[in-house]
Amino acid sequence: MPLLPPASPANESKLTVPQHLRTYYRFQSRIYDLTRWSFLFGRRRALQQLPISPAANISILEVGCGTGHNLVALAKYFPNAYVTGIDLSEDMLAIAAKKVARFGGRVTLEEGAFGVVPLEEKYDLIVFSYCLTMVNPDWDKLLEVARKSLPPTGMLTVVDFHDSAFPFFQSHMKKHHVRMDAHLLPVLVEEFEPVRHTVKSAYGGLWRWFHFVGRQK
């Protein structure tokens, strides 16, 4: 999700989502859960490989939570955690709201841009799942906000597309607002203290995806 500029003082409570993105995600929200299982790999692994006890009493934020797939998984895996999801798309969040209703006030949703919408001061864990490669050109600003939103003991986990050796596939993904040129992982390794990072191939090497877990430096 792109990081939007702050709202004007005359309209601080409003966040204007560009129309092309509003249209894109209105359609994608209808097919998201039916299709994403086939190429958003590593989401379950990213959760299971966190060096955090499932019994931990922590606060978690997922940036770009979409239809709530990960929010449900996080709420189940960490039954004592409070989980927040933020996303630009009201259509995605409408679906997520139905999924997380069973958790009551333990899971909350926020509509808007990370870094613009006021959230809790600090989170123990921030999750980016197939979000950062879609934030162009401001993905680095999201990481800066994430650093400021983590306490000294806080952790960041990212699972996302890495790269592809095939120009036709890179072009195809670019049409869906996804950048695939291995730009994220080196920056994550530099700016956070790595706990774990791996790169995996998908569909015989058509593309690669990565999982990163890091701490504040």
Side-chain angles (χ1 to χ4, degrees):
M1 308 300 174
L3 182 68
L4 297 179
S8 64
N11 198 19
E12 291 181 351
S13 64
K14 297 285 187 179
L15 291 173
T16 303
V17 179
Q19 185 57 44
H20 73 284
L21 287 175
R22 188 183 297 275
T23 302
Y24 179 80
Y25 287 113
R26 181 172 295 124
F27 171 73
Q28 290 295 323
S29 67
R30 300 169 186 164
I31 65 170
Y32 196 90
D33 292 331
L34 294 175
T35 60
R36 271 15 182 216
W37 64 270
S38 63
F39 58 93
L40 298 189
F41 299 124
R43 291 183 293 176
R44 181 179 298 179
R45 176 180 297 183
L47 188 155
Q48 294 174 339
Q49 291 187 347
L50 286 168
I52 303 174
S53 168
N57 186 354
I58 58 176
S59 60
I60 304 172
L61 172 68
E62 183 183 11
V63 181
C65 64
T67 59
H69 173 91
N70 294 328
L71 298 179
V72 172
L74 288 164
K76 286 182 176 179
Y77 190 78
F78 295 106
N80 298 317
Y82 285 89
V83 184
T84 301
I86 184 170
D87 200 281
L88 290 179
S89 171
E90 61 181 343
D91 297 289
M92 293 283 202
L93 290 174
I95 295 172
K98 295 177 182 178
K99 292 182 182 179
V100 303
R102 67 178 116 163
F103 301 107
R106 201 161 64 82
V107 180
T108 58
L109 302 174
E110 296 285 349
E111 180 183 349
F114 184 44
V116 177
V117 175
L119 297 172
E120 294 293 331
E121 186 172 338
K122 298 292 182 181
Y123 290 91
D124 301 299
L125 171 65
I126 295 179
V127 179
F128 288 98
S129 174
Y130 289 94
C131 168
L132 288 170
T133 50
M134 298 188 73
V135 181
N136 300 298
D138 290 327
W139 56 270
D140 55 335
K141 293 181 181 178
L142 292 191
L143 290 180
E144 182 180 348
V145 175
R147 281 200 308 271
K148 294 177 180 178
S149 302
L150 288 170
T153 57
M155 302 194 70
L156 176 88
T157 185
V158 181
V159 58
D160 213 324
F161 297 109
H162 187 55
D163 62 9
S164 173
F166 300 92
F168 81 90
F169 189 73
Q170 288 185 354
S171 178
H172 168 72
M173 294 301 286
K174 187 176 181 180
K175 294 176 183 178
H176 292 275
H177 313 287
V178 176
R179 179 179 172 185
M180 297 187 69
D181 60 3
H183 65 294
L184 288 175
L185 188 55
V187 175
L188 289 167
V189 170
E190 175 68 22
E191 296 191 2
F192 295 87
E193 180 184 342
V195 175
R196 175 180 290 112
H197 57 94
T198 58
V199 178
K200 300 285 186 178
S201 293
Y203 292 109
L206 179 60
W207 77 83
R208 296 193 300 169
W209 58 273
F210 75 91
H211 174 219
F212 173 85
V213 180
R215 300 182 188 275
Q216 286 274 46
K217 281 192 172 181

